Amino acid sequence: MIKTNTRNLAVGAVVVIDGEARIITAMTKAWKAPEWYITYIQGNNSITRNFNSNKKWDVLDLVKP
């Protein structure tokens, strides 16, 4: 498991959110810096939440942008 911040994530990365592995499907810069909107798959749903750029992530599979 790798630890990284939001700025180093990319679409396709597998991260731990709420204790479960999630695949990032989209990332866009939020209007309010330093935040990002991250979309991930949860079951049959696509969830979008905003996260701070400095948030530390547990990454299972890191995709290079």
Side-chain angles (χ1 to χ4, degrees):
M1 193 168 336
I2 303 165
K3 282 277 205 192
T4 190
N5 62 23
T6 304
R7 289 176 289 223
N8 294 329
L9 294 178
V11 172
V14 179
V15 298
V16 177
I17 300 175
D18 299 331
E20 294 189 29
R22 310 279 190 219
I23 299 172
I24 295 176
T25 58
M27 286 183 65
T28 56
K29 186 78 171 102
W31 64 273
K32 184 178 177 185
E35 295 182 352
W36 287 82
Y37 289 116
I38 296 179
T39 304
Y40 57 90
I41 301 296
Q42 181 174 339
N44 293 330
N45 300 317
S46 181
I47 308 289
T48 301
R49 291 175 43 193
N50 66 325
F51 296 95
N52 190 289
S53 295
N54 296 321
K55 178 185 178 353
K56 296 296 181 194
W57 295 88
D58 291 326
V59 181
L60 303 176
D61 187 18
L62 187 60
V63 175
K64 299 291 181 192

